[in-house]
Amino acid sequence: MRRKRVAVLISGRGSNMRALVEAARNPSYPAEIVHVVSNIADAPGLAFAQSQGISTHVLSNKNFVTRESFDAALNAHIQGQNIDIICCAGFMRIMTPVLVAPWEGRMLNIHPSLLPAFKGLHTHERAIAEGAKTHGATVHFVTAELDGGPIVAQAPVPVLPDDTPDTLGERVLGIEHALYVRALDMVARSLP
Ligand code: GRF
């Protein structure tokens, strides 16, 4: 089976991107990370990608007046890279149909909650505030509805009595990496 060519979109640290890159070092993994795009010029994750010989690109949203014009430019850029699957990994943008529709069924995101609970930001803080006993992470297909697309895989973690948003967030991040690796594996195998 041909390995799927994956572009990862980041805005920051890029630890999930790194986990995908490391998993894809195994030649039997069904995807390879061939390109990384950031909307933030100094996103720390870019340096790691470059150190691995992966091509990177910065497309600053500050240079665009509307969400749609940024999304159109990003879509055009990715279409030029011969990409099969896009993985959003800490890509802090609300995306419009201009970008999402052409990639339906081929665009993934990781979100730090057990969706459909806690869509949006500050998920760990909100899980604690609402007294959730279980929290976790979700990989889902991206649709035009924020954090609303079909779920591919989820992993739970317990919420402990003395958790802060930081300690809970670290516990969630600890299961995100393996979850994303597993979800991309499933999706890459399932696509023609
Ligand atoms: C992760 O918690 C992810 O679930 C969320 O943003 C964070 C990104 O972390 N969407 P990293 O950049 O992958 O380290």
Side-chain angles (χ1 to χ4, degrees), residues 10-18 88-92 109-113 124 137-138 169 172-173 176-177:
I10 65 170
S11 298
R13 177 177 55 187
S15 70
N16 279 286
M17 177 269 295
R18 183 177 186 136
C88 302
F91 184 57
M92 302 304 284
N109 180 46
I110 187 158
H111 181 76
S113 79
H124 313 310
T138 302
V172 171
L173 193 66
E176 285 190 30
H177 300 155

Side-chain angles (χ1 to χ4, degrees), residues 16-104:
N16 279 286
M17 177 269 295
R18 183 177 186 136
L20 296 177
V21 168
E22 286 170 355
R25 282 191 194 133
N26 183 338
S28 66
Y29 193 72
E32 51 182 335
I33 312 307
V34 298
H35 194 53
V36 173
V37 181
S38 174
N39 65 314
I40 305 291
D42 58 358
L46 287 171
F48 172 77
Q50 286 156 3
S51 78
Q52 302 300 297
I54 297 169
S55 65
T56 62
H57 182 70
V58 173
L59 189 67
S60 173
N61 50 278
K62 290 188 183 149
N63 296 335
F64 296 86
V65 174
T66 63
R67 285 193 185 283
E68 285 78 8
S69 58
F70 172 79
D71 283 0
L74 180 52
N75 181 47
H77 172 76
I78 297 171
Q79 298 287 357
Q81 302 290 319
N82 190 21
I83 296 299
D84 299 300
I85 299 170
I86 298 176
C87 288
C88 302
F91 184 57
M92 302 304 284
R93 295 280 306 165
I94 293 173
M95 291 175 276
T96 69
V98 170
L99 174 60
V100 171
W103 294 95
E104 191 181 343

Side-chain angles (χ1 to χ4, degrees), residues 1-6 26-32 34 81-85 103 106 184-192:
M1 192 184 65
R2 183 181 67 83
R3 301 177 84 199
K4 302 302 186 301
R5 289 171 56 84
V6 173
N26 183 338
S28 66
Y29 193 72
E32 51 182 335
V34 298
Q81 302 290 319
N82 190 21
I83 296 299
D84 299 300
I85 299 170
W103 294 95
R106 297 188 299 142
L184 177 59
D185 184 304
M186 286 194 293
V187 170
R189 284 179 203 282
S190 73
L191 290 177

